[in-house]
Amino acid sequence: MPLTIEPSNEVNFILTRGATFNPELIWENSDGTVVNLTGYTARMDVRADPTSAELLTQLLTGSGITIDGPNGKISLLIASATTKTFLWTSAAYDLFLTSGTGIVTALIFGRIIMKEAVTKI
């Protein structure tokens, strides 16, 4: 089930090492109407902390981020084979969207907590 969000929301994720990371987000206005994201692009950077120069991973439109414009839906994807290689246990991220006219919105931010899988796949 997609998570409904508004700009500047803090959203924290828990990710299990070796599992697929695939949250779906829907951007709604405060009145509950869905924002049409047709023509938007997105970028999500993950770093140890917001000031860290080292990029732990990055998602871009067409490379880990899919946007369903008319439905206001943003799907994030990091494959299980990739999450299996992550050595970090906690990281900061933010997700920025850019409209076709160049307006940049800091949509969400937060932490990603990595937990170890008990089942070894």
Side-chain angles (χ1 to χ4, degrees), residues 4-15:
T4 302
I5 55 170
E6 291 183 27
S8 299
N9 274 358
E10 181 175 358
V11 178
N12 296 309
F13 294 107
I14 297 175
L15 172 59

Side-chain angles (χ1 to χ4, degrees), residues 19-97:
T20 302
F21 178 72
N22 192 26
E24 294 183 335
L25 313 166
I26 295 181
W27 182 0
E28 288 186 356
N29 290 310
S30 57
D31 66 1
T33 59
V34 171
V35 175
N36 186 332
L37 299 176
T38 301
Y40 277 71
T41 59
R43 175 180 170 158
M44 178 176 147
D45 287 356
V46 179
R47 300 176 189 274
D49 63 68
T51 61
S52 176
E54 181 186 1
L55 189 63
L56 299 174
T57 196
Q58 180 182 71
L59 304 178
L60 303 167
T61 306
S63 182
I65 300 177
T66 304
I67 297 176
D68 177 355
N71 294 309
K73 186 163 90 171
I74 305 145
S75 299
L76 308 175
L77 177 65
I78 304 174
S80 60
T82 301
T83 69
K84 193 178 215 176
T85 67
F86 291 159
L87 300 177
W88 47 271
T89 57
S90 177
Y93 81 93
D94 54 22
L95 175 64
F96 278 70
L97 269 66

Side-chain angles (χ1 to χ4, degrees), residues 17 84 116-121:
R17 192 177 322 279
K84 193 178 215 176
E116 285 298 325
V118 175
T119 302
K120 305 303 178 196
I121 298 175

